[in-house]
Amino acid sequence: MNHPIIDLHCDMLSYLANVPHANPANSSDIACAIPLLKEGNVRMQVCAIYTDVRKGSMDLGIKQAFKYREMQMFFAKDLQRADVDFIQNFTSQEKIGTVVAIENAAGLADEFVPLSKAFETLDYILKLTGRIAYISLTHHTENRFGGGNYTEGVGLKEDGKRLLDYIAGKTIAIDLSHTSDLLAEGILTYIDAQGLDIPVIASHSNIRSIWNHKRNLTDEFIKEIIHRKGLIGINFLRAFLDTDNPDRVYEHLVYGFQNGAEEQMAFGADFFYTKDWPYQMRLPFYFPNVENASKYPAILERLKADLSTEQLEKLAYGNAQRFFSNLWK
């Protein structure tokens, strides 16, 4: 089955910024390389700007924004920036539309600078890239904005509130994929209390009731995303699916259709550079059935037994197209 695909998360830009001689067309290096995207009929790819919590994180974030510009320029035959016209006419596009996101707001301001620097960096990245699809306040660990998914007892901090205030109304979604449960709760509570115009998504998160991992969404947060008409992008990393069962990915993908999230389900594969990884326990990162971006047609074909043609279309691109069309218009 060859529906066009929208994928909500990859780490192409950190690969380009950090790996010597990195090339977005090198399929042996990264699972979201341009040839693999084309083979999988991916027509829109969100490229995250990812940084750790450390001094110099803003410089690395800006470097990735420049790498995005270079990628668009040198591979203009295959790529274009995804804008309002692109997303509204998605099914007729021939090139792959790309848009950046911020994975970890430490890339906007490290722990050592005034908060105003975060706003300056955000505006600069917007100027460089044209659009930011979403921002996650944290990654795995705690930062000045809140608690990451591996922290306990750390919710939304004051700087996190101020950043939410700043992005309200800017057509940038807030991403719950790397929050602690306490931070996710704090974000939702603050948005509601302040009446902020900020859509809520989980760009690359799975279902905790299927696989009990802190990176995965509880049913409570799934219901919140449904209520807010957001998106849930299912992640292909083995650690968050089921470390032993390659077929578990299909359960995560189908779950939303069976539990009220039919309009929310999407793909958020989370492909990144895995060569020379120091921690062998995580290998392999991906099962063969979801190991790279060429696998989408086979995934959809496998799901034909569980989902209707209309539901497969929603999963492949329809839900994400509707979300971004409404957000960007």
Side-chain angles (χ1 to χ4, degrees):
M1 184 166 290
N2 209 30
H3 286 306
I5 300 295
I6 296 176
D7 183 84
L8 301 180
H9 191 92
C10 79
D11 288 288
M12 173 66 81
L13 301 180
S14 60
Y15 158 67
L16 294 176
N18 290 306
V19 177
H21 312 296
N23 184 339
N26 188 347
S27 300
S28 66
D29 255 10
I30 191 163
C32 56
I34 292 170
L36 295 170
L37 294 175
K38 293 169 70 174
E39 187 178 349
N41 204 25
V42 177
R43 298 287 181 82
M44 179 171 146
Q45 179 65 64
V46 181
C47 301
I49 291 174
Y50 165 71
T51 54
D52 289 323
V53 181
R54 60 178 175 84
K55 191 171 183 178
S57 55
M58 300 106 70
D59 293 337
L60 181 56
I62 291 169
K63 181 179 180 180
Q64 290 178 56
F66 275 104
K67 288 295 181 181
Y68 174 77
R69 287 169 61 94
E70 289 177 9
M71 182 176 70
Q72 295 299 123
M73 179 173 61
F74 292 124
F75 292 88
K77 180 173 68 72
D78 299 310
L79 306 178
Q80 70 177 82
R81 293 186 184 185
D83 56 15
V84 175
D85 179 71
F86 179 93
I87 197 67
Q88 290 182 344
N89 299 283
F90 175 74
T91 56
S92 63
Q93 302 295 339
E94 296 183 359
K95 294 184 180 182
I96 301 167
T98 62
V99 60
V100 304
I102 305 293
E103 184 178 22
N104 195 355
L108 302 178
D110 64 31
E111 309 294 296
F112 309 97
V113 300
L115 181 61
S116 59
K117 188 67 178 178
F119 308 148
E120 294 174 13
T121 306
L122 175 62
D123 290 342
Y124 188 42
I125 291 175
L126 272 169
K127 182 178 179 180
L128 289 173
T129 63
R131 185 176 299 278
I132 294 173
Y134 58 79
I135 295 174
S136 58
L137 295 186
T138 57
H139 192 245
H140 290 317
T141 59
E142 178 183 354
N143 64 20
R144 67 189 294 167
F145 302 102
N149 53 265
Y150 287 141
T151 59
E152 297 288 346
V154 183
L156 180 64
K157 297 183 180 181
E158 196 63 30
D159 282 357
K161 294 177 182 179
R162 300 291 78 80
L163 183 55
L164 290 173
D165 292 337
Y166 192 75
I167 69 172
K170 286 184 166 62
T171 69
I172 300 172
I174 193 73
D175 184 15
L176 304 184
S177 283
H178 276 287
T179 62
S180 66
D181 287 352
L182 199 59
L183 174 55
E185 181 181 340
I187 288 170
L188 298 175
T189 300
Y190 187 76
I191 286 173
D192 290 348
Q194 301 300 314
L196 300 182
D197 178 15
I198 304 177
V200 176
I201 70 169
S203 68
H204 57 302
S205 288
N206 296 340
I207 313 301
R208 198 176 298 183
S209 61
I210 294 176
W211 186 247
N212 187 16
H213 194 289
K214 290 182 179 181
R215 271 284 284 109
N216 292 343
L217 294 169
T218 65
D219 282 1
E220 177 186 5
F221 291 128
I222 291 170
K223 290 175 182 176
E224 286 289 344
I225 293 171
I226 295 169
H227 171 68
R228 296 160 195 272
K229 297 180 171 57
L231 292 174
I232 298 168
I234 293 300
N235 188 314
F236 289 173
L237 276 161
R238 184 173 66 93
F240 310 139
L241 293 170
D242 181 323
T243 52
D244 298 314
N245 182 1
D247 288 337
R248 191 74 74 192
V249 62
Y250 308 116
E251 294 181 36
H252 289 276
L253 288 164
V254 170
Y255 182 91
F257 293 92
Q258 298 174 336
N259 292 274
E262 179 164 334
E263 307 299 319
Q264 279 62 56
M265 301 308 292
F267 290 116
D270 197 11
F271 291 130
F272 57 89
Y273 181 76
T274 61
K275 286 187 173 182
D276 305 319
W277 196 264
Y279 307 111
Q280 297 296 306
M281 70 183 72
R282 290 198 67 184
L283 301 177
F285 279 93
Y286 307 98
F287 289 117
N289 57 336
V290 291
E291 65 186 351
N292 62 53
S294 75
K295 300 296 182 178
Y296 286 110
I299 293 167
L300 295 177
E301 187 67 29
R302 169 63 175 75
L303 289 170
K304 284 172 66 175
D306 302 295
L307 301 177
S308 69
T309 300
E310 180 184 4
Q311 288 172 325
L312 290 169
E313 185 178 286
K314 288 179 180 181
L315 173 64
Y317 71 90
N319 289 337
Q321 181 192 25
R322 183 190 64 253
F323 177 86
F324 288 115
S325 293
N326 292 335
L327 180 62
W328 295 348
K329 70 182 180 182

